[in-house]
Amino acid sequence: MLIVLMVISVLLLVAIPNITKHNGMINTKGCEAFLNTVQAQVKAYEMEHNKIPTVQELLDGRYIKSDKCPNGHAIEINENGDVSEVGS
């Protein structure tokens, strides 16, 4: 019984650092995908309304559901229509 507990403990010690490392990478990739999706919605809004939208206009028009990346950072749209993460 003690041997089984020791093996499980060793496996947990190896697995937990890998899981936390991949969690950050997953959030980063999720944010990149979200930014690409919002960029496509900016183009769709621009085609329909002949102007570059603000984040609030995209939210109000239900083009997007959130103004935050999966990592919690907000997004912004510049005057050229390019979408980026605030603070990056």
Side-chain angles (χ1 to χ4, degrees):
M1 190 73 162
L2 289 174
I3 294 173
V4 171
L5 288 174
M6 184 181 74
V7 169
I8 291 173
S9 298
V10 168
L11 288 174
L12 286 174
L13 288 172
V14 170
I16 290 175
N18 287 331
I19 290 170
T20 57
K21 178 178 74 174
H22 291 293
N23 189 28
M25 185 175 62
I26 289 169
N27 281 339
T28 301
K29 293 290 183 186
C31 189
E32 290 173 11
F34 180 71
L35 291 175
N36 287 335
T37 301
V38 173
Q39 186 68 55
Q41 294 304 321
V42 166
K43 294 296 182 193
Y45 186 97
E46 187 178 4
M47 289 170 57
E48 290 178 14
H49 301 279
N50 295 322
K51 72 173 200 148
I52 296 173
T54 63
V55 174
Q56 190 60 47
E57 288 172 332
L58 289 178
L59 286 168
D60 293 344
R62 296 187 180 205
Y63 285 83
I64 58 174
K65 293 182 181 179
S66 173
D67 62 344
K68 300 209 182 304
C69 279
N71 61 10
H73 296 145
I75 60 169
E76 64 184 1
I77 302 170
N78 68 15
E79 63 277 352
N80 296 326
D82 296 326
V83 180
S84 63
E85 185 179 359
V86 175
S88 65

